[in-house]
Amino acid sequence: MKRGTEHDLIRLLHGELPADEARALRECMRGDPALAEAWRRLERTWQGLELPPAAPVPPGFTGRILAHVKGQSAPGSLSWSAAPRWVRAAAATALITGAALGLGVGRSWPEPATNLAAVSAPDSAEEDYSLAGSYWSLVEDATGSDSREARP
């Protein structure tokens, strides 16, 4: 018997085989005594399986669980004092770094154009407007160099 056939027998036993494939497999079992015997053996094994009986709850289990739950803090009440020192230091560093970068970017951002005529669609001869292009032009303005050679 092929490995795929064994797999199909198990799928048939579990009721996972599509109806047309199940009919075809049952037809094959009628013509192949070895396949039919494998099916009967598999079915007997499956029927003989039982779940073990449920284990009783150990004495005092409920009391221990309730004491443990009462000893824990309420859900959603996290505190910084419970966090390790390195976590608090990393959070403070990230906050300070983010604020410094935000201030730096805010100062280097170009002033908005007050004249709507100055803000127009680019001509076809010019480069298309893109976020990356505006970023590089800001970098060029801030550093005073032409970074087009470094662009990918």
Side-chain angles (χ1 to χ4, degrees):
M1 182 173 19
K2 296 179 191 173
R3 181 180 174 103
T5 307
E6 289 175 358
H7 188 258
D8 286 344
L9 285 174
I10 292 172
R11 288 177 58 205
L12 177 65
L13 184 65
H14 290 204
E16 299 172 352
L17 205 60
D20 56 338
E21 291 181 34
R23 270 193 302 278
L25 185 59
R26 288 183 198 280
E27 194 64 39
C28 287
M29 282 191 275
R30 286 188 198 105
D32 187 358
L35 184 61
E37 178 57 34
W39 168 254
R40 283 190 291 275
R41 190 175 53 246
L42 184 63
E43 200 170 26
R44 277 192 313 266
T45 303
W46 183 257
Q47 297 301 326
L49 293 177
E50 275 183 32
L51 291 175
V57 177
F61 178 75
T62 306
R64 288 194 308 265
I65 295 297
L66 286 174
H68 179 71
V69 169
K70 287 179 183 176
Q72 288 186 347
S73 62
S77 63
L78 297 175
S79 72
W80 281 104
S81 60
R85 183 173 294 206
W86 68 270
V87 171
R88 290 181 282 175
T93 304
L95 181 64
I96 292 169
T97 304
L101 286 173
L103 285 173
V105 169
R107 287 188 181 149
S108 67
W109 203 262
E111 290 294 322
T114 56
N115 185 0
L116 290 179
V119 181
S120 63
D123 294 335
S124 58
E126 296 178 18
E127 263 185 53
D128 287 338
Y129 176 77
S130 70
L131 186 58
S134 63
Y135 169 77
W136 285 112
S137 63
L138 282 174
V139 170
E140 291 168 4
D141 292 345
T143 59
S145 65
D146 190 11
S147 61
R148 290 182 193 189
E149 297 86 31
R151 280 194 230 173

